[in-house]
Amino acid sequence: RRSSDGEPAKFQPPPKPVIVDRQRQREERRFLSPEFIPPRGRTDPLKFYIERKDMIQRRKVFNIPEFYVGSILAVTTADPYADGKTNRFVGICIQRGGKGLGATFVLRNVIEDQGVEICYELYNPRIQEIKVLKLEKRLDDNLMYLRDALPEYSTFDMDMKPVSRLEHEEVPVNKLQVRMKPKPWSKRWERPKYNIKGIKFELPEKKMQEAQKWSQPWLEFDMLREYDTSKLEKKIWREVNEELKK
Amino acid sequence: MMPIWTKSGEKHAVTLLKVQDCHVLKYVPKEDSDGKTAKLFVGGKNVSPFHKTEAEMAIFKEAGVPRKQKISVFKVTDDAIIKPGTPLYAAHFRPGQFVDVTAKTIGKGFQGVMKRWGFKGQPASHGQTKTHRRPGAISTNKASKVYPGKKMPGKMGNIYRTSFGLKVWRVNTKHDIIYVNGSVPGHTNCLVKVRDTKLPTYKDCNKNPPFPTFFADGDEELPEDLYDEEVFQFTDPSVTYA
């Protein structure tokens, strides 16, 4: 190769390789389990601090993985009345409730055409293992409407294999729109107070507009209902991480 | 309130009580207290010394202690007398003991007879005219008077009530917290009086308590957390049924 001047071409060093710092990417993706965030109230913060110490102590001995509402989990508990003394249940997490040590999650599955929901406590010492078979999020925080949806959306194989995923990938959001059984439902899910985005409503337009009568558009502007947890979350996340590393 | 698990996997609800700056204020000997037992005045939480008369502050000055929000009286036997001015800690109570807790209940204001005394009221329909939550009859014809103490509407709550026979599951000596079984009267962060049980079933349960009290400057070095034998500690692995 010769340049226009006729002199030999200057040595061009190869382009620098782009180093993807996996550690920093992992740290940027922070996940704090929702039961660590204290509710708004007049309780002494010392009580939450003491509870957090107990929760961290339990997490050091027993691994509680990161999971969201909509992920499929397998939980084995110690049961004195079962043979083998353990009881394994696989299901989709439909709800995460409670704060502190009493935090719970509800798993749902359909076994032999019978819907079964079991509410487990995260910090119960009888739980031997919590395994995440498929980690994903859904469009809603509360999937109680699966009770009124067609049973195919709640059936999961008891011997399901765990779905592999890369460490630093973002948690996938399943934008599935679920089809419902004919009305009546256990709750009027079309009403705006539940704010459900994961149902494919096949109701006539008139019914949908009638449901909007119960909307409360002033709620999002109500300042007394605001509870900004960002600073609290950062502080608690730092504290929890430091303790867990020890 | 918090859950606590036993080693056999059962869950119990537990109330946390914090011992905040408790000092012994005054000792009244047997003869002066007009009874068979001596009295000890104990004060609770520290508050500002202003907005109080000199006469009321006299007790605190004598004991050499900042002004307390609440003073309560404990009837004590002669061998359990403590010098005024000694601080009292949560380690005074040990796990496995049984305890009575007294406090003022949550005030509900003026309440009707259905909420206050649990009356059944009247049916909602079938011809009832303006009568759904009323007491109905208040006395008989023969009595021709209303007995004193008749249950009627009035101010409900804000009175002292005691929960008896509550087990102490755990004591945190660093932050002075007592974990007491079940619920306790009063709202969150209210002042509470904790005392050894008077129930006869638990007479033999309080074995070797710190007598007369737990002294912090003594030789005993207690661990940060004292647990009852049956309590599941989070440092142990998960519970299994072999």
Side-chain angles (χ1 to χ4, degrees), chain B residues 47-242:
Chain B
V47 275
S48 83
F50 312 113
H51 316 294
K52 269 284 182 186
T53 49
E54 278 288 330
E56 283 154 357
M57 293 289 284
I59 301 182
F60 303 111
K61 252 193 211 162
E62 259 178 276
V65 137
R67 182 192 149 204
K68 304 290 180 186
Q69 187 171 346
K70 181 107 195 94
I71 307 178
S72 47
V73 179
F74 288 87
K75 289 218 177 85
V76 193
T77 44
D78 279 328
D79 49 352
I81 300 168
I82 310 173
K83 183 178 170 191
T86 38
L88 299 173
Y89 299 99
H92 176 95
F93 293 104
R94 289 298 156 91
Q97 268 188 326
F98 287 84
V99 133
D100 293 342
V101 176
T102 315
K104 269 201 171 177
T105 47
I106 300 179
K108 315 255 171 176
F110 196 100
Q111 287 300 336
V113 105
M114 275 178 87
K115 191 181 189 80
R116 195 175 182 213
W117 299 112
F119 284 15
K120 273 181 82 177
Q122 289 83 24
S125 69
H126 288 301
Q128 313 294 319
T129 40
K130 308 200 300 190
T131 319
H132 306 289
R133 298 182 70 92
R134 299 180 76 187
I138 53 176
S139 188
T140 49
N141 190 14
K142 199 171 178 190
S144 43
K145 68 167 188 173
V146 176
Y147 297 114
K150 173 85 191 70
K151 292 183 181 175
M152 281 186 160
K155 290 256 163 60
M156 178 179 167
N158 202 22
I159 45 172
Y160 284 104
R161 281 287 186 257
T162 316
S163 313
F164 294 96
L166 303 177
K167 181 166 176 177
V168 172
W169 285 111
R170 179 177 160 182
V171 171
N172 187 320
T173 34
K174 187 173 161 205
H175 296 278
D176 276 335
I177 300 182
I178 312 175
Y179 289 59
V180 147
N181 189 34
S183 60
V184 140
H187 56 88
T188 26
N189 301 334
C190 79
L191 290 168
V192 128
K193 174 178 170 183
V194 183
R195 175 197 71 190
D196 291 327
T197 322
K198 279 202 173 143
L199 292 177
T201 21
Y202 301 126
K203 233 193 314 188
D204 312 313
C205 278
N206 301 344
K207 300 168 197 145
N208 307 324
F211 199 79
T213 188
F214 171 73
F215 296 105
D217 46 346
D219 303 324
E220 251 188 290
E221 282 270 341
L222 284 179
E224 192 190 322
D225 268 307
L226 292 162
Y227 295 91
D228 186 42
E229 311 155 329
E230 290 167 46
V231 165
F232 171 78
Q233 304 183 28
F234 289 109
T235 39
D236 304 332
S238 306
V239 163
T240 35
Y241 300 101

Side-chain angles (χ1 to χ4, degrees), chain A residues 155-190:
Chain A
T155 22
F156 299 99
D157 189 22
M158 283 296 255
D159 311 306
M160 201 168 120
K161 294 277 181 311
V163 168
S164 62
R165 58 178 288 273
L166 302 165
E167 278 271 317
H168 59 272
E169 257 184 16
E170 284 228 11
V171 176
V173 178
N174 190 351
K175 300 209 171 134
L176 175 65
Q177 297 246 299
V178 147
R179 289 187 58 212
M180 305 290 273
K181 288 196 254 195
K183 268 202 161 192
W185 297 330
S186 58
K187 294 239 174 330
R188 293 174 224 245
W189 302 112
E190 73 275 9

Side-chain angles (χ1 to χ4, degrees), chain A residues 17-21:
Chain A
V18 178
I19 306 168
V20 173
D21 197 357

